[in-house]
Amino acid sequence: MENEIFIFPDYFSENAVKVILSEGKKDNLHIFRVGKYGRDKTAAFLNYYEEILSGLKTVRNPQKYLEKCKNNIGQLSVSCYYDINDLQYYFEVTLKDNYPERVLLEGMSNSQYGLIQKTAERKKM
């Protein structure tokens, strides 16, 4: 990866970028994700930080919270699932009342758009 250039949003902290570059992998995986805001695929792939920034999520003190998120890979990443069964309860029950327009998305991650890392790899059990 030494000769490759990856572009990160300005709000990613230097430490977050270092972690991603050192632990991320180029991989193509079959994935599932919930589009909480309906068929708008742009909104479906916003990370938590961007959802707050765009007004889709509200928090008490946005500036303070966003500053805290800059170092948190979990808040800067986009979570996907590899097994549809792992997503079923979240989709059918947890999001039912707050996101009635939600849709289930299925596709492939694409390594040409950047690095990925499974949460289980990052949070060693």
Side-chain angles (χ1 to χ4, degrees), residues 106-120:
E106 178 181 11
M108 295 290 294
S109 65
N110 189 329
S111 62
Q112 86 178 54
Y113 295 108
L115 304 171
I116 66 165
Q117 184 183 39
K118 293 179 179 179
T119 302

Side-chain angles (χ1 to χ4, degrees), residues 67-79:
E67 194 60 39
K68 181 179 162 184
C69 288
K70 290 180 179 187
N71 280 305
N72 185 329
I73 299 298
Q75 304 296 321
L76 298 175
S77 64
V78 177
S79 298

Side-chain angles (χ1 to χ4, degrees), residues 17-30:
V17 171
K18 284 180 186 177
V19 170
I20 294 166
L21 290 174
S22 69
E23 298 178 18
K25 298 177 178 97
K26 292 192 84 170
D27 207 351
N28 299 313
L29 300 172
H30 183 249

Side-chain angles (χ1 to χ4, degrees), residues 7-99:
I7 300 170
F8 296 92
D10 292 340
Y11 61 83
F12 275 45
S13 71
E14 188 176 321
N15 184 55
V17 171
K18 284 180 186 177
V19 170
I20 294 166
L21 290 174
S22 69
E23 298 178 18
K25 298 177 178 97
K26 292 192 84 170
D27 207 351
N28 299 313
L29 300 172
H30 183 249
I31 57 171
F32 297 93
R33 179 158 173 85
V34 174
K36 294 183 286 191
Y37 309 104
R39 298 206 175 275
D40 180 353
K41 289 182 183 131
T42 303
F45 290 93
L46 294 176
N47 62 32
Y48 198 82
Y49 184 100
E50 292 168 333
E51 285 182 318
I52 293 168
L53 210 56
S54 67
L56 293 170
K57 287 212 181 288
T58 42
V59 293
R60 271 191 223 147
N61 187 336
Q63 285 311 111
K64 184 178 179 182
Y65 195 84
L66 290 172
E67 194 60 39
K68 181 179 162 184
C69 288
K70 290 180 179 187
N71 280 305
N72 185 329
I73 299 298
Q75 304 296 321
L76 298 175
S77 64
V78 177
S79 298
C80 296
Y81 296 80
Y82 310 103
D83 183 342
I84 195 167
N85 295 319
D86 294 339
L87 182 61
Q88 216 63 42
Y89 186 85
Y90 177 65
F91 180 80
E92 292 176 2
V93 179
T94 306
L95 297 177
K96 181 181 176 184
D97 294 332
N98 291 332
Y99 299 98

